[in-house]
Amino acid sequence: MVFDNSTYFISHLKKKKNRFDKTTMVLGKYIDENYGTEQANAIYNATAPIRVDDLQGGFITANSMLHGAFYDVNGDFIPLSGFNEVQFADVPLNAHTMRLSLFVGDENAFQVEAGKFATVFEEYEVPEDGIFIPKLIIPKENTQNEIAT
């Protein structure tokens, strides 16, 4: 393998910004911030659990922080972790997941991300862990198959 000056081997693991997958919503429900339970309400949809264990002790935000709560690794509600109508939330040290409520119709522009401030919307993409190798060059003589030119 040959690398030029601008090439480096393992760069980073690919992370995605938007953690909200609209295909996993629970329709007609909101998250009760006092108990972490789903409650029926036709104007809301609830997110499925969203992983936040990599943000413990940090912050998470969404472009709409309505009725939300945090849960531990066993899926149990973390007492006093609920929130409603805030700009961002502190991720408890024992949090594994969180759930949020969003208004029906907001799912195509809803974004959940790390930090204290919502940024420009990006579509959700399935997270990928892997190795990013830019400009990897493998000379023809080091391959087993012909390389089309």
Side-chain angles (χ1 to χ4, degrees):
M1 286 186 261
V2 177
F3 300 94
D4 65 23
N5 290 356
S6 63
T7 305
Y8 45 98
F9 192 53
I10 300 174
S11 167
H12 63 279
L13 293 181
K14 192 172 183 183
K15 299 282 185 187
K16 308 296 182 176
K17 180 172 83 169
N18 190 355
R19 296 171 183 238
F20 169 65
D21 180 357
K22 68 182 177 184
T23 67
T24 62
M25 286 187 308
V26 180
L27 305 178
K29 303 281 185 175
Y30 77 95
I31 303 302
D32 181 316
E33 67 271 15
N34 296 306
Y35 303 101
T37 56
E38 288 181 3
Q39 301 295 322
N41 190 320
I43 68 167
Y44 291 107
N45 292 326
T47 67
I50 297 170
R51 293 279 302 266
V52 294
D53 52 331
D54 61 321
L55 299 174
Q56 292 172 347
F59 305 98
I60 194 145
T61 191
N63 47 359
S64 177
M65 296 282 281
L66 298 171
H67 306 291
F70 292 96
Y71 306 85
D72 66 18
V73 71
N74 297 315
D76 296 326
F77 171 66
I78 299 172
L80 305 176
S81 74
F83 53 88
N84 185 21
E85 297 186 36
V86 296
Q87 182 178 354
F88 62 89
D90 297 298
V91 180
L93 293 175
N94 58 335
H96 185 71
T97 59
M98 71 178 298
R99 294 190 68 194
L100 291 164
S101 309
L102 59 146
F103 288 117
V104 169
D106 285 354
E107 58 274 2
N108 291 321
F110 192 68
Q111 177 164 288
V112 178
E113 62 186 297
K116 289 186 175 183
F117 303 100
T119 61
V120 176
F121 174 77
E122 289 181 12
E123 287 287 335
Y124 172 82
E125 294 180 50
V126 176
E128 298 174 16
D129 285 333
I131 299 173
F132 175 67
I133 308 172
K135 297 184 182 180
L136 174 62
I137 301 166
I138 303 173
K140 180 178 177 180
E141 59 272 12
N142 291 346
T143 65
Q144 294 178 351
N145 301 318
E146 280 295 310
I147 298 176
T149 55

